[in-house]
Amino acid sequence: MIFVVFKYLTPKGFRGITFYPFVFLVNKMDKENPSFVNHEKIHIRQQLEMFILPFFVWYGVEFVLRWVQFKNRKKAYYNISFEREAYQNEKDLYYLKQRSFWNFLKYI
């Protein structure tokens, strides 16, 4: 995981975005935040499991489906299975050691 502070790649209102192997940050201080780093590590694992490009296709399709479902972009984002898994487990710093393969499927 390579941290890059470059706020112009991060969508407005978000602290970071991960494109394997990079994590683009708005604020360099987030590199020191264990929960934030763990959240992004979960995304790195998800991307590797799906061979990176299919991850982004799935992410985009699921975002659109959730947007139609909830009629709210922010609510759609928080209900994407990848995000639900990452947010629910970001504080558990041992999560990735015991996480099952394609565990994000439990959050659909």
Side-chain angles (χ1 to χ4, degrees), residues 42 45-46 49-50 81-82 84-86 88-89 95-96 98-108:
I42 292 168
R45 177 75 59 86
Q46 294 164 340
E49 287 175 347
M50 296 192 72
S81 57
F82 301 116
R84 290 180 65 207
E85 179 186 17
Q88 188 166 337
N89 297 289
Y95 176 69
L96 286 173
Q98 50 88 32
R99 178 185 179 270
S100 302
F101 187 78
W102 278 34
N103 200 53
F104 68 90
L105 292 173
K106 293 179 182 177
Y107 296 86
I108 290 181

Side-chain angles (χ1 to χ4, degrees), residues 14 39 43 46 55 58-88 103-108:
F14 293 91
H39 180 103
H43 287 318
Q46 294 164 340
F55 168 88
W58 183 314
Y59 193 104
V61 169
E62 190 172 350
F63 174 77
V64 170
L65 293 173
R66 299 292 183 194
W67 193 1
V68 168
Q69 177 185 8
F70 294 110
K71 297 171 182 40
N72 179 298
R73 286 181 12 188
K74 192 170 188 175
K75 197 167 185 180
Y77 162 78
Y78 283 110
N79 280 281
I80 295 170
S81 57
F82 301 116
E83 294 301 340
R84 290 180 65 207
E85 179 186 17
Y87 278 110
Q88 188 166 337
N103 200 53
F104 68 90
L105 292 173
K106 293 179 182 177
Y107 296 86
I108 290 181

